[in-house]
mmCIF file with all atom_site columns, all heavy atoms in Angstrom:
data_model
loop_
_atom_site.group_PDB
_atom_site.id
_atom_site.type_symbol
_atom_site.label_atom_id
_atom_site.label_alt_id
_atom_site.label_comp_id
_atom_site.label_asym_id
_atom_site.label_entity_id
_atom_site.label_seq_id
_atom_site.pdbx_PDB_ins_code
_atom_site.Cartn_x
_atom_site.Cartn_y
_atom_site.Cartn_z
_atom_site.occupancy
_atom_site.B_iso_or_equiv
_atom_site.pdbx_formal_charge
_atom_site.auth_seq_id
_atom_site.auth_comp_id
_atom_site.auth_asym_id
_atom_site.auth_atom_id
_atom_site.pdbx_PDB_model_num
ATOM 1   N N   . ALA A 1 299 ? -11.121 8.078  -5.597  1.00 98.00 ? 299 ALA A N   1
ATOM 2   C CA  . ALA A 1 299 ? -10.399 8.529  -4.448  1.00 98.00 ? 299 ALA A CA  1
ATOM 3   C C   . ALA A 1 299 ? -9.936  9.897  -4.888  1.00 98.00 ? 299 ALA A C   1
ATOM 4   O O   . ALA A 1 299 ? -9.961  10.925 -4.027  1.00 98.00 ? 299 ALA A O   1
ATOM 5   C CB  . ALA A 1 299 ? -9.286  7.624  -4.152  1.00 98.00 ? 299 ALA A CB  1
ATOM 6   N N   . LEU A 1 300 ? -9.388  10.154 -6.119  1.00 98.00 ? 300 LEU A N   1
ATOM 7   C CA  . LEU A 1 300 ? -8.891  11.514 -6.623  1.00 98.00 ? 300 LEU A CA  1
ATOM 8   C C   . LEU A 1 300 ? -10.034 12.463 -6.659  1.00 98.00 ? 300 LEU A C   1
ATOM 9   O O   . LEU A 1 300 ? -9.898  13.642 -6.159  1.00 98.00 ? 300 LEU A O   1
ATOM 10  C CB  . LEU A 1 300 ? -8.134  11.354 -7.813  1.00 98.00 ? 300 LEU A CB  1
ATOM 11  C CG  . LEU A 1 300 ? -6.748  11.032 -7.583  1.00 98.00 ? 300 LEU A CG  1
ATOM 12  C CD1 . LEU A 1 300 ? -6.174  10.449 -8.955  1.00 98.00 ? 300 LEU A CD1 1
ATOM 13  C CD2 . LEU A 1 300 ? -5.997  12.296 -7.272  1.00 98.00 ? 300 LEU A CD2 1
ATOM 14  N N   . ALA A 1 301 ? -11.362 12.039 -7.067  1.00 98.00 ? 301 ALA A N   1
ATOM 15  C CA  . ALA A 1 301 ? -12.263 12.958 -7.184  1.00 98.00 ? 301 ALA A CA  1
ATOM 16  C C   . ALA A 1 301 ? -12.613 13.456 -5.776  1.00 98.00 ? 301 ALA A C   1
ATOM 17  O O   . ALA A 1 301 ? -12.994 14.580 -5.574  1.00 98.00 ? 301 ALA A O   1
ATOM 18  C CB  . ALA A 1 301 ? -13.408 12.269 -7.769  1.00 98.00 ? 301 ALA A CB  1
ATOM 19  N N   . ASP A 1 302 ? -12.654 12.613 -4.795  1.00 98.00 ? 302 ASP A N   1
ATOM 20  C CA  . ASP A 1 302 ? -12.850 12.884 -3.464  1.00 98.00 ? 302 ASP A CA  1
ATOM 21  C C   . ASP A 1 302 ? -11.807 13.954 -2.965  1.00 98.00 ? 302 ASP A C   1
ATOM 22  O O   . ASP A 1 302 ? -12.178 14.942 -2.234  1.00 98.00 ? 302 ASP A O   1
ATOM 23  C CB  . ASP A 1 302 ? -13.125 11.694 -2.547  1.00 98.00 ? 302 ASP A CB  1
ATOM 24  C CG  . ASP A 1 302 ? -13.235 11.918 -1.059  1.00 98.00 ? 302 ASP A CG  1
ATOM 25  O OD1 . ASP A 1 302 ? -14.355 12.525 -0.741  1.00 98.00 ? 302 ASP A OD1 1
ATOM 26  O OD2 . ASP A 1 302 ? -12.217 11.901 -0.279  1.00 98.00 ? 302 ASP A OD2 1
ATOM 27  N N   . GLY A 1 303 ? -10.643 13.583 -3.198  1.00 98.00 ? 303 GLY A N   1
ATOM 28  C CA  . GLY A 1 303 ? -9.450  14.423 -2.716  1.00 98.00 ? 303 GLY A CA  1
ATOM 29  C C   . GLY A 1 303 ? -9.711  15.788 -3.385  1.00 98.00 ? 303 GLY A C   1
ATOM 30  O O   . GLY A 1 303 ? -9.425  16.863 -2.691  1.00 98.00 ? 303 GLY A O   1
ATOM 31  N N   . LEU A 1 304 ? -9.981  15.887 -4.602  1.00 98.00 ? 304 LEU A N   1
ATOM 32  C CA  . LEU A 1 304 ? -10.124 17.192 -5.251  1.00 98.00 ? 304 LEU A CA  1
ATOM 33  C C   . LEU A 1 304 ? -11.045 18.123 -4.715  1.00 98.00 ? 304 LEU A C   1
ATOM 34  O O   . LEU A 1 304 ? -10.838 19.306 -4.458  1.00 98.00 ? 304 LEU A O   1
ATOM 35  C CB  . LEU A 1 304 ? -10.438 16.921 -6.690  1.00 98.00 ? 304 LEU A CB  1
ATOM 36  C CG  . LEU A 1 304 ? -9.298  16.578 -7.764  1.00 98.00 ? 304 LEU A CG  1
ATOM 37  C CD1 . LEU A 1 304 ? -10.002 16.394 -9.212  1.00 98.00 ? 304 LEU A CD1 1
ATOM 38  C CD2 . LEU A 1 304 ? -8.266  17.693 -7.829  1.00 98.00 ? 304 LEU A CD2 1
ATOM 39  N N   . GLN A 1 305 ? -12.230 17.476 -4.285  1.00 98.00 ? 305 GLN A N   1
ATOM 40  C CA  . GLN A 1 305 ? -13.406 18.123 -3.708  1.00 98.00 ? 305 GLN A CA  1
ATOM 41  C C   . GLN A 1 305 ? -13.015 18.897 -2.420  1.00 98.00 ? 305 GLN A C   1
ATOM 42  O O   . GLN A 1 305 ? -13.149 19.956 -2.089  1.00 98.00 ? 305 GLN A O   1
ATOM 43  C CB  . GLN A 1 305 ? -14.526 17.321 -3.369  1.00 98.00 ? 305 GLN A CB  1
ATOM 44  C CG  . GLN A 1 305 ? -15.660 17.525 -4.395  1.00 98.00 ? 305 GLN A CG  1
ATOM 45  C CD  . GLN A 1 305 ? -16.737 16.499 -4.142  1.00 98.00 ? 305 GLN A CD  1
ATOM 46  O OE1 . GLN A 1 305 ? -16.828 15.938 -3.128  1.00 98.00 ? 305 GLN A OE1 1
ATOM 47  N NE2 . GLN A 1 305 ? -17.723 16.470 -5.064  1.00 98.00 ? 305 GLN A NE2 1
ATOM 48  N N   . ARG A 1 306 ? -12.377 17.959 -1.710  1.00 98.00 ? 306 ARG A N   1
ATOM 49  C CA  . ARG A 1 306 ? -11.815 18.452 -0.169  1.00 98.00 ? 306 ARG A CA  1
ATOM 50  C C   . ARG A 1 306 ? -10.804 19.649 -0.338  1.00 98.00 ? 306 ARG A C   1
ATOM 51  O O   . ARG A 1 306 ? -10.893 20.684 0.418   1.00 98.00 ? 306 ARG A O   1
ATOM 52  C CB  . ARG A 1 306 ? -11.317 17.315 0.681   1.00 98.00 ? 306 ARG A CB  1
ATOM 53  C CG  . ARG A 1 306 ? -12.381 16.563 1.222   1.00 98.00 ? 306 ARG A CG  1
ATOM 54  C CD  . ARG A 1 306 ? -11.892 15.376 2.093   1.00 98.00 ? 306 ARG A CD  1
ATOM 55  N NE  . ARG A 1 306 ? -11.522 14.334 1.386   1.00 98.00 ? 306 ARG A NE  1
ATOM 56  C CZ  . ARG A 1 306 ? -10.202 14.006 1.210   1.00 98.00 ? 306 ARG A CZ  1
ATOM 57  N NH1 . ARG A 1 306 ? -9.248  14.711 1.799   1.00 98.00 ? 306 ARG A NH1 1
ATOM 58  N NH2 . ARG A 1 306 ? -9.721  12.995 0.281   1.00 98.00 ? 306 ARG A NH2 1
ATOM 59  N N   . ALA A 1 307 ? -9.828  19.383 -1.153  1.00 98.00 ? 307 ALA A N   1
ATOM 60  C CA  . ALA A 1 307 ? -8.757  20.211 -1.273  1.00 98.00 ? 307 ALA A CA  1
ATOM 61  C C   . ALA A 1 307 ? -9.254  21.613 -1.861  1.00 98.00 ? 307 ALA A C   1
ATOM 62  O O   . ALA A 1 307 ? -8.886  22.634 -1.297  1.00 98.00 ? 307 ALA A O   1
ATOM 63  C CB  . ALA A 1 307 ? -7.668  19.789 -2.241  1.00 98.00 ? 307 ALA A CB  1
ATOM 64  N N   . ALA A 1 308 ? -10.129 21.480 -2.849  1.00 98.00 ? 308 ALA A N   1
ATOM 65  C CA  . ALA A 1 308 ? -10.756 22.796 -3.488  1.00 98.00 ? 308 ALA A CA  1
ATOM 66  C C   . ALA A 1 308 ? -11.436 23.544 -2.390  1.00 98.00 ? 308 ALA A C   1
ATOM 67  O O   . ALA A 1 308 ? -11.370 24.762 -2.181  1.00 98.00 ? 308 ALA A O   1
ATOM 68  C CB  . ALA A 1 308 ? -11.653 22.402 -4.653  1.00 98.00 ? 308 ALA A CB  1
ATOM 69  N N   . ALA A 1 309 ? -12.267 22.833 -1.588  1.00 98.00 ? 309 ALA A N   1
ATOM 70  C CA  . ALA A 1 309 ? -13.025 23.561 -0.504  1.00 98.00 ? 309 ALA A CA  1
ATOM 71  C C   . ALA A 1 309 ? -12.119 24.080 0.519   1.00 98.00 ? 309 ALA A C   1
ATOM 72  O O   . ALA A 1 309 ? -12.253 25.301 1.037   1.00 98.00 ? 309 ALA A O   1
ATOM 73  C CB  . ALA A 1 309 ? -14.016 22.611 0.144   1.00 98.00 ? 309 ALA A CB  1
ATOM 74  N N   . TYR A 1 310 ? -11.106 23.493 0.898   1.00 98.00 ? 310 TYR A N   1
ATOM 75  C CA  . TYR A 1 310 ? -10.141 23.826 1.979   1.00 98.00 ? 310 TYR A CA  1
ATOM 76  C C   . TYR A 1 310 ? -9.374  25.043 1.608   1.00 98.00 ? 310 TYR A C   1
ATOM 77  O O   . TYR A 1 310 ? -9.302  25.975 2.325   1.00 98.00 ? 310 TYR A O   1
ATOM 78  C CB  . TYR A 1 310 ? -9.218  22.689 2.438   1.00 98.00 ? 310 TYR A CB  1
ATOM 79  C CG  . TYR A 1 310 ? -8.276  23.076 3.658   1.00 98.00 ? 310 TYR A CG  1
ATOM 80  C CD1 . TYR A 1 310 ? -8.793  22.913 4.896   1.00 98.00 ? 310 TYR A CD1 1
ATOM 81  C CD2 . TYR A 1 310 ? -6.966  23.355 3.273   1.00 98.00 ? 310 TYR A CD2 1
ATOM 82  C CE1 . TYR A 1 310 ? -7.875  23.301 5.848   1.00 98.00 ? 310 TYR A CE1 1
ATOM 83  C CE2 . TYR A 1 310 ? -6.138  23.624 4.299   1.00 98.00 ? 310 TYR A CE2 1
ATOM 84  C CZ  . TYR A 1 310 ? -6.669  23.700 5.707   1.00 98.00 ? 310 TYR A CZ  1
ATOM 85  O OH  . TYR A 1 310 ? -5.751  23.979 6.649   1.00 98.00 ? 310 TYR A OH  1
ATOM 86  N N   . TRP A 1 311 ? -8.728  25.017 0.370   1.00 98.00 ? 311 TRP A N   1
ATOM 87  C CA  . TRP A 1 311 ? -7.939  26.220 -0.072  1.00 98.00 ? 311 TRP A CA  1
ATOM 88  C C   . TRP A 1 311 ? -8.648  27.220 -0.852  1.00 98.00 ? 311 TRP A C   1
ATOM 89  O O   . TRP A 1 311 ? -8.073  28.288 -1.312  1.00 98.00 ? 311 TRP A O   1
ATOM 90  C CB  . TRP A 1 311 ? -6.711  25.710 -0.868  1.00 98.00 ? 311 TRP A CB  1
ATOM 91  C CG  . TRP A 1 311 ? -5.655  25.106 0.040   1.00 98.00 ? 311 TRP A CG  1
ATOM 92  C CD1 . TRP A 1 311 ? -4.716  25.956 0.882   1.00 98.00 ? 311 TRP A CD1 1
ATOM 93  C CD2 . TRP A 1 311 ? -5.228  23.767 0.375   1.00 98.00 ? 311 TRP A CD2 1
ATOM 94  N NE1 . TRP A 1 311 ? -3.813  25.070 1.598   1.00 98.00 ? 311 TRP A NE1 1
ATOM 95  C CE2 . TRP A 1 311 ? -4.150  23.855 1.222   1.00 98.00 ? 311 TRP A CE2 1
ATOM 96  C CE3 . TRP A 1 311 ? -5.662  22.614 -0.071  1.00 98.00 ? 311 TRP A CE3 1
ATOM 97  C CZ2 . TRP A 1 311 ? -3.524  22.679 1.733   1.00 98.00 ? 311 TRP A CZ2 1
ATOM 98  C CZ3 . TRP A 1 311 ? -5.172  21.562 0.398   1.00 98.00 ? 311 TRP A CZ3 1
ATOM 99  C CH2 . TRP A 1 311 ? -3.955  21.525 1.198   1.00 98.00 ? 311 TRP A CH2 1
ATOM 100 N N   . GLY A 1 312 ? -9.919  26.998 -1.190  1.00 98.00 ? 312 GLY A N   1
ATOM 101 C CA  . GLY A 1 312 ? -10.798 27.975 -1.832  1.00 98.00 ? 312 GLY A CA  1
ATOM 102 C C   . GLY A 1 312 ? -10.337 28.256 -3.250  1.00 98.00 ? 312 GLY A C   1
ATOM 103 O O   . GLY A 1 312 ? -10.262 29.306 -3.754  1.00 98.00 ? 312 GLY A O   1
ATOM 104 N N   . ALA A 1 313 ? -9.772  27.200 -4.068  1.00 98.00 ? 313 ALA A N   1
ATOM 105 C CA  . ALA A 1 313 ? -9.311  27.250 -5.355  1.00 98.00 ? 313 ALA A CA  1
ATOM 106 C C   . ALA A 1 313 ? -10.092 26.282 -6.182  1.00 98.00 ? 313 ALA A C   1
ATOM 107 O O   . ALA A 1 313 ? -10.552 25.216 -5.659  1.00 98.00 ? 313 ALA A O   1
ATOM 108 C CB  . ALA A 1 313 ? -7.837  26.974 -5.276  1.00 98.00 ? 313 ALA A CB  1
ATOM 109 N N   . PRO A 1 314 ? -10.138 26.657 -7.487  1.00 98.00 ? 314 PRO A N   1
ATOM 110 C CA  . PRO A 1 314 ? -10.826 25.695 -8.421  1.00 98.00 ? 314 PRO A CA  1
ATOM 111 C C   . PRO A 1 314 ? -10.079 24.538 -8.671  1.00 98.00 ? 314 PRO A C   1
ATOM 112 O O   . PRO A 1 314 ? -8.876  24.497 -8.485  1.00 98.00 ? 314 PRO A O   1
ATOM 113 C CB  . PRO A 1 314 ? -11.027 26.464 -9.740  1.00 98.00 ? 314 PRO A CB  1
ATOM 114 C CG  . PRO A 1 314 ? -9.959  27.716 -9.655  1.00 98.00 ? 314 PRO A CG  1
ATOM 115 C CD  . PRO A 1 314 ? -9.616  27.910 -8.175  1.00 98.00 ? 314 PRO A CD  1
ATOM 116 N N   . ALA A 1 315 ? -10.937 23.395 -8.874  1.00 98.00 ? 315 ALA A N   1
ATOM 117 C CA  . ALA A 1 315 ? -10.309 21.997 -9.140  1.00 98.00 ? 315 ALA A CA  1
ATOM 118 C C   . ALA A 1 315 ? -10.475 21.575 -10.503 1.00 98.00 ? 315 ALA A C   1
ATOM 119 O O   . ALA A 1 315 ? -11.524 21.826 -11.223 1.00 98.00 ? 315 ALA A O   1
ATOM 120 C CB  . ALA A 1 315 ? -10.767 21.145 -8.018  1.00 98.00 ? 315 ALA A CB  1
ATOM 121 N N   . VAL A 1 316 ? -9.492  20.851 -11.057 1.00 98.00 ? 316 VAL A N   1
ATOM 122 C CA  . VAL A 1 316 ? -9.619  20.483 -12.593 1.00 98.00 ? 316 VAL A CA  1
ATOM 123 C C   . VAL A 1 316 ? -8.922  19.128 -12.587 1.00 98.00 ? 316 VAL A C   1
ATOM 124 O O   . VAL A 1 316 ? -7.953  18.787 -11.935 1.00 98.00 ? 316 VAL A O   1
ATOM 125 C CB  . VAL A 1 316 ? -8.988  21.501 -13.379 1.00 98.00 ? 316 VAL A CB  1
ATOM 126 C CG1 . VAL A 1 316 ? -7.464  21.749 -13.046 1.00 98.00 ? 316 VAL A CG1 1
ATOM 127 C CG2 . VAL A 1 316 ? -9.209  21.305 -14.878 1.00 98.00 ? 316 VAL A CG2 1
ATOM 128 N N   . TRP A 1 317 ? -9.571  18.398 -13.404 1.00 98.00 ? 317 TRP A N   1
ATOM 129 C CA  . TRP A 1 317 ? -8.914  17.109 -13.988 1.00 98.00 ? 317 TRP A CA  1
ATOM 130 C C   . TRP A 1 317 ? -8.112  17.379 -15.182 1.00 98.00 ? 317 TRP A C   1
ATOM 131 O O   . TRP A 1 317 ? -8.560  18.031 -16.229 1.00 98.00 ? 317 TRP A O   1
ATOM 132 C CB  . TRP A 1 317 ? -10.033 15.980 -14.407 1.00 98.00 ? 317 TRP A CB  1
ATOM 133 C CG  . TRP A 1 317 ? -10.504 15.246 -13.246 1.00 98.00 ? 317 TRP A CG  1
ATOM 134 C CD1 . TRP A 1 317 ? -11.686 15.459 -12.674 1.00 98.00 ? 317 TRP A CD1 1
ATOM 135 C CD2 . TRP A 1 317 ? -10.021 14.112 -12.588 1.00 98.00 ? 317 TRP A CD2 1
ATOM 136 N NE1 . TRP A 1 317 ? -11.793 14.449 -11.652 1.00 98.00 ? 317 TRP A NE1 1
ATOM 137 C CE2 . TRP A 1 317 ? -10.797 13.831 -11.596 1.00 98.00 ? 317 TRP A CE2 1
ATOM 138 C CE3 . TRP A 1 317 ? -8.756  13.374 -12.899 1.00 98.00 ? 317 TRP A CE3 1
ATOM 139 C CZ2 . TRP A 1 317 ? -10.560 12.576 -10.854 1.00 98.00 ? 317 TRP A CZ2 1
ATOM 140 C CZ3 . TRP A 1 317 ? -8.502  12.148 -12.057 1.00 98.00 ? 317 TRP A CZ3 1
ATOM 141 C CH2 . TRP A 1 317 ? -9.431  11.874 -11.032 1.00 98.00 ? 317 TRP A CH2 1
#
Side-chain angles (χ1 to χ4, degrees):
L300 271 162
D302 177 69
L304 278 181
Q305 252 180 13
R306 278 181 286 107
Y310 183 80
W311 279 286
V316 63
W317 276 100

